Structure formats: structure tokens, C-alpha cells
Amino acid sequence: ARAVHPGARVLDGAAPTLVAVADDLPDAATAHLDGRAEVLRLPRAGGHGRGLGVTALLTALHGRGVRSVLLEGGATLAGAFVAARAVDRVTAYLAPALLGAGPAALTDAGIATIADALRLTVTAVERTGPDLRIDAVPAASASAASAPAPAVHEPKES
């Protein structure tokens, strides 16, 4: 509930908003959402820790008719979904710039060794300006097994 500040645009009423929080969070922590968003209370991951249980969240969303979720919350959220093996597609952007050390792409994903890595099969590569957009699926998925080799799509000149 701390991630959604009282003035956040997601609370502007333009569309229904659902905010998932831990079931042990005090009501006062979600008071700023009252009437501006529906609050969904879920168990924490493994019954403890900071994050919510991914399986419980996906089950609750499925019960509401949600069949697709776009994750854009950062390394901790991405790591939780990878650790739960609840990722069926990855879209990554690669920019032609070297920045040195930076933030991790995944946090607490349960990947301690190369053997633990989530292997991906690249399904598409597209050039977007100077960047590359790379789409991939987990290598074990059925769609990966039948996917043709990706082609690099160049932007059309206008």
C-alpha cells in the first residue's frame, strides 16, 4: 500500500484500481485508498517475508477474470514471479550504451547458480530506434519448442 501514494494517477478514477496488500497489514495502512481503489488482502509469500504469495495473487486475479498480467514493477517483483516459475514471456530492451554497475534485473529469484537459471528461447528481435527489443519464452514451454528462429526486424524508412 506504500507504493501507491495518495496523489498517484492510478487513483484518479479513470479506471477501476485493485491494490493487493498483505492480509496482516493494519487497516490504517490502506486508509488513503478508501473509495479510490479496491483493496485485496492476500497472504505473504511463504507466510512470512515482505512480498505477497505469487500463486495466491494469480489465483485471486484469475477468479476475477484476469488472464494476462504485465509486470513492470522492478527487480523484486520480477524476481518473485521468476522464483514462482510464473513467467511465460519476457520482453527486454537492450540499448547500445554501457553504464557500468547498475540495478539488478531480478532480486530474490531463487537463481543461485548457472544450473538454476531460467533458460529462455528467443522468439523475436526487433530494432526500435537505436535499441533492440527481445521477446523470449521459457525454453521448456510448448511455444518455445515450436518457435522458428527469430528474425531481426529493421525499422522502415519513411
Side-chain angles (χ1 to χ4, degrees):
R2 289 188 313 256
V4 181
H5 302 284
R9 288 187 63 194
V10 72
L11 300 175
D12 68 4
T17 300
L18 177 70
V19 177
V21 300
D23 56 7
D24 61 355
L25 193 68
D27 289 339
T30 61
H32 67 287
L33 302 173
D34 190 32
R36 301 174 74 195
E38 182 180 352
V39 176
L40 175 63
R41 293 185 171 275
L42 296 170
R44 291 185 185 274
H48 55 37
R50 294 180 9 196
L52 301 178
V54 170
T55 301
L57 175 60
L58 291 176
T59 298
L61 292 174
H62 189 271
R64 293 165 174 267
V66 175
R67 300 297 185 262
S68 180
V69 176
L70 170 67
L71 301 179
E72 200 177 10
T76 301
L77 181 65
F81 274 75
V82 167
R85 295 297 197 230
V87 174
D88 62 6
R89 186 173 77 194
V90 174
T91 299
Y93 290 87
L94 178 63
L98 297 176
L99 301 174
L106 300 173
T107 302
D108 298 328
I111 300 172
T113 66
I114 293 290
D116 296 334
L118 174 61
R119 301 290 175 181
L120 301 172
T121 298
V122 175
T123 57
V125 178
E126 184 174 339
R127 208 173 155 150
T128 305
D131 301 340
L132 291 179
R133 174 185 159 162
I134 303 166
D135 292 314
V137 296
S141 76
S143 61
S146 62
V152 176
H153 300 283
E154 296 291 333
K156 294 178 181 173
E157 297 290 327
S158 46

